[in-house]
Each structure stands twice: as C-alpha cells, then as structure tokens.
Amino acid sequence: MSATPLLLVHPGTHGVAMYARDMASAVCAARPSIRTIDAADLDAAPTDAALHVHFTDRLWGDSPEQAAQSFGALAARRPVSVTLHDVPQASDGERNRPRRRAAYAAVAAAARGVAVNSEHERALLREEEVWSGTAVSIPLPVDLETDAQRMPADGSVGVLGYFYPGKGHDEAARAAAHAGIGKMTILGRASDGHAAELEEFVRRAGALGVEVEVTGWLDDAEIARRGRAVSVPVIAHRHVSASGSLASWIGWGRRPVAVRNRYMDEMATLRPGTLQTVDEPELAVAVREAFEHPESTWHGLTRLPMAWPEAAEAYVRWWGGVAW
C-alpha cells in the first residue's frame, strides 16, 4: 500500500471544502506524484487506493448521523485517513453535542489515521470522549501577503467569515458600542440556515447604536481588500475549533484583537506578535485602544511559522507513518 493517499476533495464554498482543496494543491506542489480525486469521481479510483479526507459533519451529510454513516461506508471499502474539523464541544448545545460526539467517534474509529488542526482540538478529542488514540496536530497554515497594500481605515470593527450563532458577532457589537464605535463590518454572509438570525443580530446591534454592514460573499481579492480596510479586526468566537478567520487576518498583515481561550493562546505562541489576546471583560477597552492606535492592528512581519509548504510536508511525513 502506498504511503501517500489520494486526496479526496469536495466542490463548493463550504470552508472545509475550500481548505481541503487548498491543502491538496499545496501537497501536490510539494509532491507532484500525489494525486487528488473529486468526490463525484471516487468510483473511478483503484479499489485498493488509500484516501485522505477532511471531515466536518455538515459537509458529509444532513445530520451528524448521516455524515458518520457516509464516512463509515467509504472507510469500509478502502483505507482512509481523516482530518477532523469543527470538533464537538460544549457550545454545540445539549441536543447536538452528544450526536456530534457519537458521529466523530465513529469516524475516528473507522479511520486509519486521525489529524486535527491544533493541540486544542487534540485535547478536545479526549475531553469529549471522541477519540483516545493517536492523533497528529498540523496547524492551519498562513499564506502571508508580504506585498499587500494597507487600506485607509474605514472606521469599523470587523468580524470575518460566515455568520452563525456563537461566532462572536454579539460580543464584537457590544464591544464596539462600549468603545464608542458605531460601525461594524461582517466580511461574509450568513451560514446556510442562519439568514433570519443574521437579520435579528443586525437589529440587536442597531439597538446598541452600531450600524452593521454585511458584505455578502466576496472573492479572495475583494475580501482581502476589505479585511485590510477595517479599523479593528475582532475574533470573539464562542465555538472554538481551529480558526480559518484568524489565519486570514494574519495573512493580510492584520493583528486582530481576540478573546482569550486555549486555541488563541496556542496560536499566539505559534506565531508571536500576530494577535492581541484579551479576556472578554477587557474586549471593549482593547478595541478602543486598537481603534485609537491603528498601527497596533498590523503585525508587520514578513516571515511566519507554518506556511502552506510546511503544512504540506507535515502531512506527507505523517502519511508515511500511517498503518494503511
């Protein structure tokens, strides 16, 4: 059995699908002998070919149970390694938490190798009783745009990515209001099924005196331009797995204000100087200080640990030790 699996990729704009495609491109650039395969073309792959897949329940099914069943059917036919995203945790709520735990436990048990994107998530696997076996942590890479032009500050607090409950929008809006900042930019759109909740949030923020602009879906160039224009990037997630939003902010040269948690502390250690972590009660004060000192919202670094080529090589090394 080859130590380098086929890389399964999904179409669409789901964040995990996009990340899987980007990682597959980075791996193939590092090792041209490695191939990708679209999910729709899987039946054409050799029956004994090993696969690597990226799993989050919303990408693999309409429910956690269906997603686990889909993965299990695949793993029953061929060897599969998996990167787990959006690891179950308390913020999933009393109804979804046990369902997601069971689904992720089934996926981990069926896989030949398990990867996550942070030490925080590796700890969650144990704490949530999802997986007690071996798992590798390969951090989300950052694509640093060293020649990116700084944009004039637009006077807003910015939150990046899909809107969904627990993403920290309310916390950011309250911080903006308390800091005397009357504008907020949501760089993205509502996650599927959450459009009404986004409208409710805009009304709540308005009641606080904060006008919200929702940009909707933006292409890579435009979202980077807008991301470099917001006055204060803020990350205040309640549901913390691994943050592609943080990687994007850092890649654009920004130094966001982030509410402290285990993941943010881990990333601050991995890439010193790229974010300002604060306890939630201090968020409004930190946002105001950042607004008044805009240079503090840029990290100014030209090299960072764990870029895409390094992450790709980490995957290749790991696959070499998987018991296919």
Side-chain angles (χ1 to χ4, degrees), residues 142-166:
V142 168
D143 186 10
L144 186 59
E145 300 180 15
T146 55
D147 59 347
Q149 181 182 0
R150 296 191 184 187
M151 303 298 297
D154 67 6
S156 76
V157 166
V159 177
L160 174 62
Y162 288 103
F163 174 92
Y164 54 82

Side-chain angles (χ1 to χ4, degrees), residues 77-324:
R77 298 196 305 270
R78 59 180 75 238
V80 183
S81 63
V82 63
T83 300
L84 298 175
H85 298 264
D86 305 319
V87 176
Q89 55 192 283
S91 57
D92 287 319
E94 293 183 4
R95 179 176 181 272
N96 283 329
R97 188 182 188 185
R99 297 172 64 204
R100 298 190 74 241
R101 275 175 163 175
Y104 276 66
V107 168
R112 299 293 181 93
V114 175
V116 289
N117 298 290
S118 63
E119 294 296 335
H120 160 65
E121 290 169 305
R122 187 151 66 171
L124 276 178
L125 294 181
R126 298 189 299 272
E127 294 163 1
E128 296 292 320
E129 300 180 349
V130 167
W131 179 243
S132 60
T134 301
V136 65
S137 170
I138 301 175
L140 297 180
V142 168
D143 186 10
L144 186 59
E145 300 180 15
T146 55
D147 59 347
Q149 181 182 0
R150 296 191 184 187
M151 303 298 297
D154 67 6
S156 76
V157 166
V159 177
L160 174 62
Y162 288 103
F163 174 92
Y164 54 82
K167 183 68 180 285
H169 292 84
D170 279 285
E171 290 80 0
R174 288 195 296 269
H178 292 154
I181 302 169
K183 292 177 62 179
M184 179 174 176
T185 303
I186 296 177
L187 294 159
R189 63 173 179 83
S191 184
D192 291 345
H194 295 293
E197 289 162 301
L198 174 54
E199 292 177 0
E200 292 171 5
F201 163 73
V202 171
R203 287 194 291 270
R204 286 197 302 276
L208 296 172
V210 177
E211 180 184 355
V212 178
E213 177 189 0
V214 181
T215 67
W217 177 259
L218 301 174
D219 64 26
D220 289 348
E222 182 62 9
I223 200 169
R225 187 189 73 80
R226 294 296 304 269
R228 292 192 294 269
V230 300
S231 291
V232 186
V234 172
I235 301 175
H237 297 38
R238 290 288 186 185
H239 185 97
V240 181
S241 199
S243 176
S245 298
L246 174 61
S248 293
W249 284 126
I250 294 172
W252 299 333
R254 305 309 303 267
R255 180 175 176 261
V257 177
V259 172
R260 283 195 67 190
N261 54 53
R262 186 167 62 187
Y263 178 74
M264 292 301 168
D265 285 346
E266 180 184 342
M267 292 299 102
T269 300
L270 175 65
R271 301 184 178 103
T274 58
L275 67 161
Q276 179 188 356
T277 56
V278 298
D279 293 324
E280 188 172 327
E282 306 303 319
L283 181 59
V285 172
V287 166
R288 185 67 210 179
E289 290 179 350
F291 190 81
E292 293 175 348
H293 301 92
E295 283 300 311
S296 71
T297 70
W298 297 86
H299 60 67
L301 301 174
T302 56
R303 291 179 60 87
L304 291 172
M306 193 52 69
W308 285 90
E310 294 172 274
E313 290 291 352
Y315 268 106
V316 173
R317 289 194 300 271
W318 173 57
W319 287 322
V322 170
W324 299 108

